Amino acid sequence: MVTVVVERAETLAEGVRALVLRAPGGRELPAWRPGAHVDLLLEPGLVRQYSLCGDPADRSRWTVAVLREPGGRGGSRFVHDRIAVGATLTVEGPRNHFELVASPAYLFIAGGIGITPILPMVAAAEAAGADWRLLYGGRRRAAMAGLDRLARYGDRVQIFPQDTTGLIDLSPLDRPTADTLVYCCGPEPLLTAVERRCVAWPPGALRVERFTTPAVTGADHEFEVTLASSGRTVRVPAGVSVLEAVEDAGVPVLSSCQEGTCGTCETVVLDGVPDHRDAVLTAAERAAGELMMICVSRCRGTHLTLDL
């Protein structure tokens, strides 16, 4: 965990507030790479994950941008209404399950506040001399954060304010492009549309980051989990997560979102087949079955052995 102080707060767009965080005493903050996020411990029981959107080379400050969501669970309202300049926060991370991989070419796609992890990616791609484009959509231009930072890139960036131009034009995805990685972050309808259009792309070409876990259909069933460190077996009833069952058995596990979106509770699977329900692992990682997020994922059979 890291203690930080809110050095500055500013409005980036309608409903979007940025916090610039620094370590007390001018100490360096942990290093990070584009795509990373941190967990802000806002108050007891209220932990939220936000992408870092500043400059990774600046170890003196972190920047996060938060969209006010009136119908949300309270995290964004807390950031907008209750965090003042000078406040002290506890932060976990950074963590990165959306890391920018070296490539000669990129197609970035962002919807709304999904631009936050993409902003440092664009800067890194430009600095590396890669061929890249960004398709960026939002409800209206005034609510789209980062437009000032993106203006320098000219026609590499295409802006789609929905109220004037409609939805993002995803036709560039209709023809797979060699040596190109696609990075997409935004609301679920956008991610679903992008995934459908990328079916013909090479495996691993598409990288997405979700705000929420995909909907799960079907009933849960009971299974058992063996904890490798002690050999102890724990029963996981239907409707109870592996994380809850293990913690109820007296085994503490580091976790944060408990929704399958942050990756904090990632656990090594030594035996058995996980039923993946997270929004973190790639398709290849899911198929390998070597890792699982125990806050939401379950077992396809009757038994798992975990490295706990």
Side-chain angles (χ1 to χ4, degrees):
M1 292 188 181
V2 179
T3 298
V4 298
V5 175
V6 179
E7 179 182 75
R8 191 168 71 253
E10 55 191 23
T11 299
L12 296 187
E14 284 182 6
V16 180
R17 190 185 195 212
L19 301 179
V20 179
L21 312 172
R22 63 170 175 81
R27 296 190 301 272
E28 282 194 339
L29 292 166
W32 62 282
R33 292 173 55 83
H37 73 265
V38 292
D39 300 354
L40 298 190
L41 283 64
L42 302 174
E43 62 179 359
L46 187 61
V47 181
R48 294 292 182 268
Q49 295 73 43
Y50 299 111
S51 297
L52 292 169
C53 56
D55 179 2
D58 183 358
R59 296 283 300 277
S60 67
R61 291 170 179 81
W62 286 340
T63 301
V64 297
V66 180
L67 172 68
R68 178 188 284 277
E69 299 183 84
R73 296 175 297 127
S76 69
R77 293 194 300 274
F78 191 102
V79 171
H80 277 254
D81 298 338
R82 297 179 58 184
I83 295 182
V85 173
T88 298
L89 298 174
T90 300
V91 182
E92 289 185 348
R95 299 186 181 89
N96 201 338
H97 292 275
F98 192 47
E99 186 166 354
L100 186 68
V101 176
S103 176
Y106 301 95
L107 177 58
F108 299 110
I109 304 172
I113 199 62
I115 191 62
T116 52
I118 300 295
L119 287 172
M121 290 185 177
V122 163
E126 178 74 6
D131 181 17
W132 65 271
R133 295 174 60 194
L134 167 63
L135 311 178
Y136 176 21
R139 287 191 175 90
R140 55 189 177 279
R141 190 179 186 92
M144 298 173 68
L147 294 181
D148 54 341
R149 288 174 58 176
L150 295 170
R152 73 190 75 171
Y153 301 121
D155 59 7
R156 284 183 181 268
V157 178
Q158 290 181 265
I159 304 299
F160 297 90
Q162 188 173 339
D163 62 342
T164 58
T165 64
L167 298 175
I168 299 175
D169 177 11
L170 297 178
S171 61
L173 295 172
D174 292 342
R175 180 178 298 176
T177 306
D179 299 321
T180 298
L181 295 181
V182 180
Y183 280 81
C184 181
C185 183
E188 188 61 31
L190 172 63
L191 300 183
T192 299
V194 169
E195 287 174 330
R196 287 173 178 165
R197 292 197 181 225
C198 283
V199 169
W201 285 64
L206 173 62
R207 316 293 174 95
V208 302
E209 183 167 64
R210 284 184 150 84
F211 301 146
T212 59
T213 52
V216 176
T217 57
D220 291 344
H221 67 273
E222 181 177 309
F223 58 96
E224 293 184 336
V225 170
T226 296
L227 311 180
S229 62
S230 64
R232 183 178 179 183
T233 296
V234 176
R235 183 174 64 89
V236 183
V240 176
S241 71
V242 176
L243 176 66
E244 291 171 322
V246 169
E247 290 188 328
D248 287 346
V251 180
V253 179
L254 185 64
S255 66
S256 180
C257 73
Q258 300 190 17
E259 295 181 338
T261 59
C262 74
T264 305
C265 68
E266 180 179 278
T267 302
V268 174
V269 179
L270 301 175
D271 187 52
V273 181
D275 177 6
H276 295 293
R277 301 184 180 188
D278 65 278
V280 175
L281 297 177
T282 65
E285 289 170 331
R286 289 177 176 225
E290 297 172 351
L291 300 169
M292 68 181 291
M293 306 302 150
I294 63 172
C295 66
V296 292
S297 296
R298 302 184 66 78
C299 178
R300 290 195 178 277
T302 60
H303 185 267
L304 291 171
T305 301
L306 302 180
D307 188 18
L308 291 173

